[in-house]
Amino acid sequence: RMDEQNNASTAQKPDNTAYKKKGLVVSVLHEISLVAVRVKDVSMLLKEVLDILYAQMNLTRGTVTLKNGDVLVIRASHGLSEEERRRGVYRVGEGVTGDVAARGVSRIVEDISKSPDFLNRTGSRHMDVKTAFLCVPIISQNNVIGTLSIDRENPTSYELKRDLKLLETIANIIANKTNKTLYRLNATTASLQDVKSIISDVGTMMAPGGILL
């Protein structure tokens, strides 16, 4: 009878490891939700999100790209130098990041050293450790406006599945604010292009002496 009681007691014990893992994800999402409410500047918001993912989940080289026409440009990152960030430009459909943006579908590359379409465009990875790359689309109003991606070194199958769901949830949290910033960025770019076009047009209308024809 004592053995039965001991077995019953053992069977009722919760899996503390599973609870801790779930609790960690909930804690991360809670922290990011608070940041999304508190931080008004989107650049700072994205940076803090990536900082949290590194500090709490040990997810490295986090990046957020935003679309500008048919090009994706890194707008926020963790663990990349300025030079590496500048190199992080992708055409929609190019490489893993571009593919995610083109199709609006999340991807997991379990080992980047064995993936032919992982470009390592930033040059920030040395391929000496097994590294997985996870990339999810940022979608607002049914349009892909960018991507959120991270690296996970020496990943387990459980970690990859968990991390992907976490990234997809975070992408939903930041999508609205990010879309507003993207609209302003594209509007500014369009305005600059209009100004350049006007200057160019005026230039063709000028006589050699600087007089309008």
Side-chain angles (χ1 to χ4, degrees):
R1 199 175 280 178
M2 287 293 294
D3 289 341
E4 289 176 0
Q5 289 177 348
N6 289 337
N7 289 337
S9 176
T10 302
Q12 290 172 1
K13 283 184 179 179
D15 184 349
N16 290 330
T17 302
Y19 277 124
K20 285 179 181 178
K21 288 177 178 178
K22 289 180 181 178
L24 178 59
V25 170
V26 172
S27 175
V28 168
L29 288 175
H30 177 67
E31 191 171 348
I32 287 174
S33 296
L34 292 178
V35 169
V37 172
R38 174 175 55 83
V39 179
K40 304 304 180 185
D41 180 78
V42 175
S43 295
M44 287 301 301
L45 166 64
L46 298 178
K47 183 181 182 305
E48 287 203 35
V49 166
L50 298 177
D51 288 348
I52 290 168
L53 288 176
Y54 174 72
Q56 301 290 340
M57 303 289 292
N58 198 30
L59 297 173
T60 59
R61 287 180 286 274
T63 61
V64 174
T65 69
L66 294 181
K67 284 175 70 176
N68 187 351
D70 66 344
V71 173
L72 294 156
V73 179
I74 293 177
R75 296 293 183 185
S77 67
H78 179 95
L80 299 185
S81 67
E82 281 301 314
E83 178 59 31
E84 288 168 344
R85 278 188 61 169
R86 281 195 292 270
R87 290 198 292 261
V89 178
Y90 312 85
R91 292 202 172 275
V92 174
E94 179 188 29
V96 178
T97 299
D99 178 59
V100 169
R103 297 191 298 121
V105 177
S106 303
R107 283 188 59 181
I108 298 176
V109 177
E110 293 190 12
D111 187 345
I112 58 175
S113 68
K114 298 177 180 178
S115 174
D117 58 345
F118 183 78
L119 304 177
N120 194 22
R121 179 64 54 78
T122 62
S124 60
R125 299 163 182 89
H126 302 294
M127 308 294 188
D128 54 348
V129 176
K130 182 181 178 181
T131 302
F133 178 74
L134 295 85
C135 186
V136 304
I138 301 173
I139 300 174
S140 179
Q141 300 176 353
N142 296 320
N143 293 316
V144 177
I145 60 173
T147 66
L148 168 63
S149 64
I150 55 87
D151 287 3
R152 164 71 75 183
E153 294 185 354
N154 295 314
T156 65
S157 175
Y158 169 81
E159 286 174 331
L160 292 179
K161 291 176 183 177
R162 178 199 63 188
D163 293 346
L164 190 70
K165 289 180 180 178
L166 176 62
L167 288 185
E168 289 174 339
T169 304
I170 293 170
N172 289 334
I173 292 173
I174 66 176
N176 187 44
K177 278 192 174 183
T178 305
N179 191 39
K180 291 178 181 178
T181 295
L182 182 64
Y183 176 81
R184 288 196 298 269
L185 285 169
N186 288 343
T188 301
T189 301
S191 298
L192 289 172
Q193 289 174 341
D194 289 341
V195 169
K196 290 178 180 177
S197 177
I198 292 170
I199 292 172
S200 177
D201 290 343
V202 170
T204 59
M205 295 167 60
M206 298 285 282
I211 301 171
L212 280 171
L213 296 174

